Amino acid sequence: MYKSKITGMGMYVPENEITNRDLTALMDTSHEWILERTGIESRRHIKKGDGNTTATMGVKASRIAIERSGIDKNDIDLILFATLSPDYYFPGSGVIVQKELDIPTCPAMDIRNQCSGFIYALSTADQFIKTGMYKNILIIGSENHSGGLDMTTRGRGVSVIFGDGAGAVVLSRSSSEETGILSTHLHSEGKYAEELSLIGPSTRRWVPEIMAANDAEDTSYYPYMNGQLVFKNAVVRFSEVIMEGLQENQMTPDQIDMLIPHQANLRISQFIQKKFGLTDDQVYNNIMRYGNTTAGSIPIAMTEAWEAGKIKSGDLVVLAAFGSGFTWGSALIRW
Ligand code: ACO
């Protein structure tokens, strides 16, 4: 069995910053309400005409990750693209990245696991490298939420939370036994599938049907979130899946050097931090600046933490996510 290792990381967020105060012009909300409940102060939204899409933001993050990894783009054996907001129904966004990066032929696939999408993609990539099938895998998490949110008072419970952005990593076969991905852990519980979802338009309700109904009250094409249920499940599952990873590796919480949780809500991250007895320096949060960028959030946060010198060689880095599905997962990495 081979071991895999992150060899390059990159991120990209649109320039257009939307503060909580900007949102008060669109809906009945306040900076104080958003900050107190979520920790968010601002987020980035794609601006019409700025050229950004889920895939093109992924391309920008990927170029940085590839350059930092030191590999040639043509040495990428597989592209994995995690998103809940792909450019098109089909094809997936992975092939668009392939086209934009001008990589002639390599497999490319999309992973549809929402906030846990990056961990699912990382785990999938890890398996391909462990078996020896591939040597270099480009993994992207990217979201364009802003265009599909209900930016009125009706949608305020969801729309204030989400932001746009992308992160990417190159996962490569490692020559070291000691460093790299130690283990990954994936879970889902489909009985909550509709509790955090966007159900229309879909193949259960195609666009012509929605258009024919011409119902101004129809909100099925906006995301729905049972916020309190998500919150309650998130704090339990985050804790469980981090513990699962530690136990698998015969480790204890005090051995964690850096926890990078999916940026769902600062209150969730703080709960986990307290539960595991970690200091502010041992948990990386940037939801204040970017909101919840779903599949993008972990690779964006990991890139920022690394750029800021907060991840050092030999550190035990723990990634954890929870989101729609419900799905959740963790990854333990010896840097
Ligand atoms: N501004 C002002 N008031 C608001 C807003 C807003 N943006 N949104 C809701 N309210 C109001 C509600 O209408 C309600 O008013 P009422 O009492 O008069 O009816 C009141 O505030 C309380 O609303 P709740 O929804 O009960 O607020 P809650 O305390 O549950 O906080 C929140 C909502 C922040 C969304 C919380 O439930 C949460 O963080 N849940 C987890 C969300 C999450 O982490 N999602 C990540 C996963 S996303 C993914 O996987 C794609």
Side-chain angles (χ1 to χ4, degrees), residues 29 33 37 115 156-157 160 196 225 227-228 264-265 268 292 323-324:
T29 189
W33 191 98
R37 307 281 175 123
C115 295
R156 66 184 179 175
V160 300
L196 180 47
M225 178 171 74
Q228 289 181 11
N265 181 321
I268 296 175
N292 178 338
S324 159

Side-chain angles (χ1 to χ4, degrees), residues 166-224:
V169 307
V170 174
L171 194 74
S172 303
R173 186 189 287 180
S174 171
S175 49
S176 156
E177 269 302 303
E178 283 75 44
T179 57
I181 294 186
L182 303 177
S183 63
T184 58
H185 308 270
L186 306 178
H187 299 275
S188 47
E189 192 172 24
K191 77 174 179 194
Y192 294 123
E194 278 84 18
E195 299 294 347
L196 180 47
S197 60
L198 196 160
I199 59 170
S202 65
T203 56
R204 289 196 188 187
R205 202 150 169 265
W206 282 102
V207 173
E209 194 187 324
I210 292 175
M211 288 176 74
N214 196 20
D215 178 3
E217 299 303 310
D218 182 7
T219 55
S220 69
Y221 46 89
Y222 289 124
Y224 165 76

